[in-house]
Structures are given as structure tokens and as C-alpha cells.
Amino acid sequence: MRRRTLLAAGMGLVAAGTTPAFATGVRHVLHVRPGDSVQAAVDAVTGPGWTIVVHPGTYREVVNIPADKAELTVRGASRDPRDAVIVYNNANGTQKPDGTTYGTAGSATFTSAAPGLTVRDLTLANDWLRADHPDFTGTQAVAAYTYGDRTHFENVRLLAHQDTLFVETTALTAFDRQYFHRCYIEGDVDFVFGRATAVFEECHFHTLQRDVTFTPKGMVFAPSTARANPYGILAVRSLITSGAEDAAYKLARPWVPSYETTAWPSLVVRDTRIGPGIDPVAPYTNMREAYPWQTMRFREYANSGPGAVISVPENRPQLTAEEAELHTEKTYLGDWRPRA
């Protein structure tokens, strides 16, 4: 399995190191340049409303944004997200210095608990590969793990294999909202998953070719929505493509975690073009037989493309036009307008 080309040609590799510099004459702005550390910039933030500008380069480090860095913006210096890349290679089963392992959430290259976070014009990646670690059973390797309310990703590339993007909440009882606009997200198994109220608008989801002989090779979505939350994951006006053969992937499967067995996963995919990589006859499957997908809140509406063909209606529950009015960016995000 070949590693991705994460960065546009001509950019150098950057190791985590020195503290970034303040922008001359500008308050609350930090610039991170080759040789600097993104995490050091996060650590230097002393209050809400700061901006970290990441200049072109590949920054091989883990970045963790705590809850007290509210209303933080982390953005690339250019509008091309390929220019600035934050990448690392921990997996669920990677051993820590104390002999324990990172676990799924702990494997993330980029983690944020900060409310009001904005990330734009960047690539966040986890380039850990199963082929390099055939002895690992914990193969989840997260690119971004977000669990703060009002999290906004704009023009961001999210690259990994299993569990690329973990959209979570601050507590089992919290309905934290996350919004992804014009983002590119690729992976193989459950690569968009979690409990958050998460809206994906005009995003591109891409399933990877995978070196296995069985199908399905993976699933795009694995929501774990709390039963009390009326809204889970919404993909609207988006695109789903594949690097694998036709019908090799499922659209989704429900995730009911062992620590929250009352979860009632919710997913709506609407007004989206679904390519032939998704199995059109049976687009959903189970994670555990005790929680069949048919009992979950999985719905579609007005999708198009070869992967959206409805040949077995009972396998593709559809919203009515009236129901579709309740599943929009506005209803999911409530009083928050990330692009206002």
C-alpha cells in the first residue's frame, strides 16, 4: 500500500520544534512557519478569539487544543489546503511510553475540545498504515477528533484509513454541533463516525482501495447519536466517490458503543451524488447483530448517481418531502450560523 502524497511538490518537511512568532503589530495572531510547532502556538494562546496561521510545510506532530482555547481559528496561510499539512502516525494499538496503548481517540493527529473552533485551508492526516503493522489488532488511526460545540471546518482535507474523522460530544448528554463545508474526507472503515450533531455540506467523501479480498471493504459513516438527540449526521449536497471497485463499500452502519447502549444512531444523506463504489442494493449493514440497522434512524432523500439507485426499497428508507424540511443545516445547527 503506497503512502499518500500529502503536500504539494516543493514544500519541505517540518519537525515540531520552536515556538512561533507573533505577527508584527497585530494582536492575537500567531504565525507558524517551517521549524516552528503548531502545538507551541496553541500553548501560547492566552484567551478567546486568537488566530494561528500555518504557513506552507508538513508539520509532523500531534496537536491538542484544550477547552480553554475558545473561539480559536487555525488556518492555512494560503487558500489551498494541500499547502499546509499536519500529520502523525499513531494508531489505536500504538504503544505509549508507559506500555499502554493510545486507543482510538488517543490516536488522533488533531484533537480539539474548544468551543467555537474554526479550522480552514489545512490538511489533517494520519498516515499510519496497516500494511506496516500486520501484528496490530487496533488499526483505528484518527486524523481529527473534535468534541467542542460550534466546531467549523472549512476547506479542510482529512486523510486516513479507518476512523478518519471522529465527531464527538463533550458528554453523553451534550448535543454539540459541528459543521463541515467544502471539505474532502477519505478513508475506508467507518471513516466518519461519532455522536455529534454534524452537518456536512458540499463535502467530498472518498472511499479508498483496500488490500482485502472480502466485501464490504468498509463504510463511510458510523453514527452513534444519543437517543435523546433528534439530529445526528447530515450530509447534504455532497459527493461520494471511490477508488475501489463498484459496490465494494456500504454507505453506513450504526455504532452503538458498549459504554452507551441506549444510543440510537441517526444519519441522513440527501441531495447527494453517490458513485458506483457504494452498494446500491444493500447500502447499509450492521456493526453488531444486536443492533440491526433497520431499527436505526437511517434515511435518504433526493440522492442521485449509480450508488443511489433504489432497487430494493426496504433497503433504502427515504424521507418524505415534509420530513426532509426537518433535516437541513438550519434545523441541525439551531441558533448557530457558522457562515453568517
Side-chain angles (χ1 to χ4, degrees):
M1 186 180 297
R2 297 176 62 189
R3 294 188 184 275
R4 297 178 181 83
T5 301
L6 295 175
L7 186 64
M11 303 300 175
L13 182 67
V14 180
T18 61
T19 303
F22 284 92
T24 304
V26 180
R27 288 187 64 203
H28 302 330
V29 177
L30 285 165
H31 287 265
V32 180
R33 295 182 171 88
D36 296 338
S37 162
V38 179
Q39 184 62 54
V42 172
D43 295 342
V45 169
T46 58
W50 285 61
T51 295
I52 295 172
V53 180
V54 184
H55 288 259
T58 297
Y59 299 81
R60 180 162 286 277
E61 59 177 312
V62 172
V63 175
N64 194 324
I65 302 173
D68 62 358
K69 312 291 185 178
E71 314 303 327
L72 175 66
T73 294
V74 183
R75 67 174 181 86
S78 78
R79 293 187 178 182
D80 188 340
R82 296 172 297 179
D83 288 346
V85 178
I86 302 171
V87 58
Y88 209 71
N89 64 338
N90 284 330
N92 180 335
T94 301
Q95 194 171 81
K96 295 193 288 188
D98 64 3
T100 63
T101 56
Y102 282 98
T104 297
S107 73
T109 297
F110 182 94
T111 298
S112 176
L117 173 74
T118 297
V119 180
R120 61 186 310 134
D121 306 328
L122 287 173
T123 292
L124 305 177
N126 189 321
D127 63 355
W128 186 90
L129 292 175
R130 298 183 189 94
D132 295 342
H133 304 276
D135 55 323
F136 272 48
T137 55
T139 59
Q140 299 87 348
V142 177
Y145 171 38
T146 55
Y147 57 101
D149 189 36
R150 296 178 291 106
T151 294
H152 176 195
F153 278 43
E154 185 81 26
N155 192 33
V156 175
R157 296 165 75 230
L158 295 144
L159 312 179
H161 285 266
Q162 183 171 356
D163 291 9
T164 302
L165 174 60
F166 193 177
V167 290
E168 195 60 327
T169 64
T170 50
L172 294 178
T173 55
F175 299 164
D176 296 335
R177 299 158 295 177
Q178 303 185 18
Y179 177 70
F180 299 80
H181 183 237
R182 295 186 177 177
C183 292
Y184 173 84
I185 308 160
E186 71 175 29
D188 50 41
V189 178
D190 303 333
F191 64 92
V192 177
F193 72 111
R195 189 174 57 231
T197 298
V199 175
F200 296 85
E201 185 174 12
E202 297 179 314
C203 289
H204 182 178
F205 305 92
H206 184 71
T207 65
L208 297 168
Q209 181 59 273
R210 189 177 170 202
D211 298 334
V212 295
T213 57
F214 56 79
T215 57
K217 292 187 173 183
M219 309 83 195
V220 180
F221 301 103
S224 58
T225 322
R227 181 169 294 271
N229 190 350
Y231 305 120
I233 293 175
L234 169 67
V236 58
R237 292 185 293 280
S238 291
L239 173 67
I240 300 174
T241 61
S242 183
E245 62 271 22
D246 291 359
Y249 275 82
K250 300 293 188 182
L251 189 59
R253 64 178 178 176
W255 176 33
V256 178
S258 58
Y259 56 80
E260 192 185 8
T261 57
T262 61
W264 192 21
S266 175
L267 169 71
V268 171
V269 179
R270 58 170 301 174
D271 305 294
T272 289
R273 179 167 178 80
I274 303 176
I278 300 300
D279 180 2
V281 176
Y284 305 107
T285 190
N286 299 333
M287 185 176 292
R288 299 183 182 89
E289 294 305 315
Y291 306 104
W293 73 263
Q294 293 90 342
T295 64
M296 304 301 168
R297 294 176 285 175
F298 284 6
R299 297 292 185 270
E300 298 179 57
Y301 182 75
N303 293 322
S304 62
V309 173
I310 304 173
S311 57
V312 183
E314 59 267 32
N315 287 349
R316 305 201 78 139
Q318 303 289 307
L319 296 172
T320 65
E322 293 75 16
E323 290 170 337
E325 293 179 1
L326 302 175
H327 294 276
T328 66
E329 172 197 343
K330 183 176 181 179
T331 56
Y332 276 55
L333 300 183
D335 60 358
W336 176 43
R337 297 289 179 268
R339 292 197 291 140

